């Protein structure tokens, strides 16, 4: 009996330690699977796409001779190579906002246009407007091709990671001086196939924006914008040290209908371990017509497992 008591006194503390170890590690594992969705890269991609879509729609209106909103001034310039050229000054105010952005400031757009094919190339400076919520300075875009599609009259534009200017830039980018081969090369980018799968778009670093102006050229806010694309506007690290990517397919917004969230489409966020292809977690989001600033988590796995079936805040304003 004495021997049993001695063994018990020795073993029992070890059992307690083992239980505590299992409990602590189980809690750690549960915590790892209970992470809030990290949507920052999606916010970057959506806000940048919304801003560039706004500029493309406005540019098309300007060069087609449409009535300009009262916050826009167009200064023409001579260019023997193209039908039209000039600089567009856009004053962003509370009554004339940039979609999904609360800043007040100025956008400057330089452009050249060919009336024969209803197409052009623009460059954009976001002078004092913060697109990416204070952490980074999204200065502008080098070159953005814009075309009016023959089949439906809608506008198509795109931008890619290499077009983005982060930090400081130069006002000289406004003075577009493209040769015809350079102009044609920019327009040819629009012939690329738009992604239809978030798992393909997530690594492409290209964003297509399709715009239906609804025959109201002077009112950009009732335009329907549909975004297809994804990748990274900036490299964003997750709380676990992974690198975050995003994608959007058929992501539609109409700002006058809802200024808080897209109305349709799918988004995807992927968290890859830095320097590898190891998937730490991913989320598939569905947008909905309810204007509540949220999206529904259709599928989540890895560290975001607990987000399944939840509505998450998009924080787009």
């Amino acid at each position: 009996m004495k021997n049993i008591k001695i063994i018990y006194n020795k073993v029992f503390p070890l059992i307690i330690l083992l239980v505590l170890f299992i409990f602590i590690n189980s809690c750690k594992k549960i915590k790892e699977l209970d992470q809030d969705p990290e949507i920052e890269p999606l916010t970057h991609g959506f806000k940048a796409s919304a801003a560039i879509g706004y500029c493309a729609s406005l540019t098309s209106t300007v060069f087609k001779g449409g009535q300009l909103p009262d916050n826009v001034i167009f200064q023409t310039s001579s260019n023997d190579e193209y039908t039209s050229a000039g600089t567009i000054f856009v004053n962003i105010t509370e009554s004339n906002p940039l979609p999904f952005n609360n800043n007040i400031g100025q956008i400057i757009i330089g452009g050249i246009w060919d009336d024969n094919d209803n197409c052009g190339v623009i460059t954009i400076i976001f002078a004092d407007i913060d697109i990416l919520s204070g952490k980074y300075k999204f200065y502008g875009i080098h070159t953005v091709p814009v075309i009016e599609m023959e089949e439906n009259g809608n506008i198509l534009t795109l931008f890619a990671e290499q077009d983005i200017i982060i930090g400081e830039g130069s006002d000289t980018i406004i003075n577009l001086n493209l040769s015809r081969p350079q102009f044609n090369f920019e327009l040819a980018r629009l012939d690329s196939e738009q992604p239809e799968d978030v798992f393909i778009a997530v690594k492409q670093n290209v964003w297509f924006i399709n715009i239906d102006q609804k025959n109201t050229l002077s009112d950009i806010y009732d335009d329907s914008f549909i975004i297809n694309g994804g990748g990274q506007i900036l490299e964003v690290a997750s709380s676990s040290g992974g690198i975050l990517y995003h994608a959007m397919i058929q992501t539609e917004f109409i700002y006058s209908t809802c200024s808080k969230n897209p109305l349709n489409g799918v988004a995807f966020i992927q968290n890859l371990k830095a320097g590898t292809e190891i998937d730490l977690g991913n989320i598939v989001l569905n947008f909905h017509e309810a204007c509540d600033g949220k999206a529904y988590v259709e599928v989540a796995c890895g560290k975001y497992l607990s987000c399944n079936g939840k509505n998450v805040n998009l924080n787009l304003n």
Side-chain angles (χ1 to χ4, degrees):
M1 189 72 179
K2 185 178 180 180
N3 290 336
I4 293 173
K5 187 175 182 180
I6 292 171
I7 293 171
Y8 176 81
N9 289 338
K10 287 182 178 180
V11 172
F12 184 72
L14 294 175
I15 293 173
I16 294 297
L17 288 173
L18 179 61
V19 170
L20 285 172
F21 177 80
I22 293 171
F23 177 76
I24 291 169
N25 277 275
S26 297
C27 289
K28 184 178 179 182
K29 292 296 183 184
I30 291 171
K31 187 175 181 181
E32 286 176 356
L33 298 176
D34 191 26
Q35 296 288 313
D36 290 333
E38 298 169 288
I39 64 170
E40 189 177 18
L42 174 62
T43 302
H44 289 169
F46 180 77
K47 285 191 170 186
S49 298
I52 291 162
Y54 172 92
C55 293
S57 180
L58 178 60
T59 297
S60 178
T61 295
V62 168
F63 284 119
K64 288 192 293 188
Q67 181 180 351
L68 300 184
D70 58 13
N71 64 317
V72 175
I73 297 173
F74 177 48
Q75 292 183 353
T76 61
S77 60
S78 59
N79 191 312
D80 296 335
E81 283 284 322
Y82 306 99
T83 308
S84 306
T87 305
I88 305 166
F89 298 90
V90 188
N91 292 313
I92 299 300
T93 64
E94 290 183 2
S95 56
N96 294 284
L98 180 65
F100 304 99
N101 194 296
N102 293 324
N103 288 182
I104 292 173
Q106 189 176 64
I107 301 173
I108 305 171
I109 307 168
I112 49 180
W113 196 262
D114 184 347
D115 281 343
N116 296 321
D117 294 313
N118 287 321
C119 61
V121 177
I122 62 175
T123 185
I124 305 167
I125 292 177
F126 298 103
D128 49 3
I129 295 176
D130 175 21
I131 302 296
L132 302 181
S133 305
K135 290 188 177 180
Y136 314 91
K137 175 60 178 174
F138 189 110
Y139 182 81
I141 299 286
H142 275 297
T143 50
V144 179
V146 182
I147 191 168
E148 182 179 307
M149 307 299 289
E150 288 185 9
E151 59 269 26
N152 54 22
N154 289 352
I155 297 164
L156 175 62
T157 187
L158 67 75
F159 69 102
E161 181 188 28
Q162 64 266 25
D163 302 320
I164 299 168
I165 306 169
I166 298 294
E168 295 299 326
S170 169
D171 291 348
T172 58
I173 69 169
I174 288 299
N175 300 315
L176 276 179
N177 188 25
L178 298 181
S179 66
R180 269 292 171 176
Q182 290 171 319
F183 181 87
N184 293 336
F185 175 79
E186 289 294 327
L187 268 296
R189 296 166 63 191
L190 295 170
D191 293 331
S192 302
E193 187 174 353
Q194 297 189 44
E196 298 179 350
D197 187 320
V198 290
F199 300 101
I200 295 174
V202 72
K203 285 297 192 67
Q204 291 187 332
N205 288 322
V206 177
W207 295 261
F208 290 84
I209 306 155
N210 306 267
I211 308 165
D212 181 355
Q213 292 185 302
K214 305 286 186 65
N215 296 317
T216 55
L217 299 187
S218 62
D219 184 3
I220 298 176
Y221 302 116
D222 76 344
D223 290 4
S224 168
F225 296 83
I226 296 177
I227 305 165
N228 292 304
Q232 291 181 315
I233 300 294
L234 299 162
E235 183 173 296
V236 179
S238 73
S239 60
S240 60
I243 304 301
L244 296 170
Y245 300 84
H246 79 277
M248 295 174 282
I249 298 296
Q250 291 295 304
T251 297
E252 179 186 18
F253 73 88
I254 302 173
Y255 193 69
S256 62
T257 300
C258 181
S259 62
K260 296 180 179 180
N261 53 266
L263 301 170
N264 291 292
V266 178
F268 176 63
I269 299 168
Q270 186 175 45
N271 184 349
L272 293 181
K273 187 174 181 180
T276 73
E277 290 297 312
I278 298 174
D279 193 344
L280 300 176
N282 56 65
I283 310 165
V284 176
L285 295 166
N286 283 344
F287 299 115
H288 49 231
E289 293 185 357
C291 191
D292 56 6
K294 298 180 180 182
Y296 177 74
V297 180
E298 183 72 28
V299 178
C301 64
K303 63 181 291 185
Y304 308 118
L305 184 63
S306 66
C307 297
N308 270 300
K310 293 183 178 180
N311 285 301
V312 297
N313 292 316
L314 294 171
N315 301 316
L316 293 176
N317 289 309

